[in-house]
Amino acid sequence: MSQQQQQKPQEPIRCGGLSGAKKADCETQAVIEEVRGDVENKLEKKLDSYDAVSYKTQIVAGTNYFVKVNAGDEYIHLRIFAPLPCSGNPKELAALQRGKAAEDEITYFE
């Protein structure tokens, strides 16, 4: 079997659709840290715990990150918009859902 045949196929990128869920890594944690202040403002509290658990992405004119976050006493889902790098604009918190549980699936939300 050739080396090319042994490689696992990658998930295709679907413009507009959500990717499959992936385990969060240090890059995901860095993305949510960029909007931590906005999240704390919306929640009206300082978060002692703020750990990315898993995420999905959506390719648009940039990237939407849908991230499940362990916020200590609750799980929250964040939608973070990362504009195209050429725009020079920072990532922004687009939406937030409260009252989630560890087992709740990440789905699209406004």
Side-chain angles (χ1 to χ4, degrees), residues 2 10 13-14 21 27 32 37 52 60 67 74 79-80 94 101 103:
S2 75
Q10 292 184 339
I13 296 175
R14 297 171 292 160
E27 184 178 323
I32 70 168
V60 290
V67 187
E74 69 177 321
R79 181 164 58 93
I80 300 165
E103 62 275 1

Side-chain angles (χ1 to χ4, degrees), residues 15-16 58-64 81-87 89:
C15 289
Q58 177 190 37
I59 305 301
V60 290
T63 303
N64 279 319
F81 176 66
L84 294 171
C86 62
S87 75
N89 294 324

Side-chain angles (χ1 to χ4, degrees), residues 53-68:
V53 176
S54 59
Y55 71 101
K56 293 182 178 183
T57 56
Q58 177 190 37
I59 305 301
V60 290
T63 303
N64 279 319
Y65 290 88
F66 292 82
V67 187
K68 181 186 298 185

Side-chain angles (χ1 to χ4, degrees), residues 19-85:
S19 70
K22 300 175 191 114
K23 184 176 178 175
D25 54 19
C26 58
E27 184 178 323
T28 314
Q29 187 67 36
V31 168
I32 70 168
E33 288 296 341
E34 288 188 48
V35 297
R36 184 177 187 144
D38 294 331
V39 171
E40 290 177 337
N41 286 339
K42 277 204 182 263
L43 296 175
E44 299 180 335
K45 67 178 180 177
K46 191 90 169 142
L47 297 172
D48 293 326
S49 181
Y50 186 71
D51 302 309
V53 176
S54 59
Y55 71 101
K56 293 182 178 183
T57 56
Q58 177 190 37
I59 305 301
V60 290
T63 303
N64 279 319
Y65 290 88
F66 292 82
V67 187
K68 181 186 298 185
V69 177
N70 180 345
D73 59 347
E74 69 177 321
Y75 281 81
I76 56 177
H77 289 185
L78 306 179
R79 181 164 58 93
I80 300 165
F81 176 66
L84 294 171

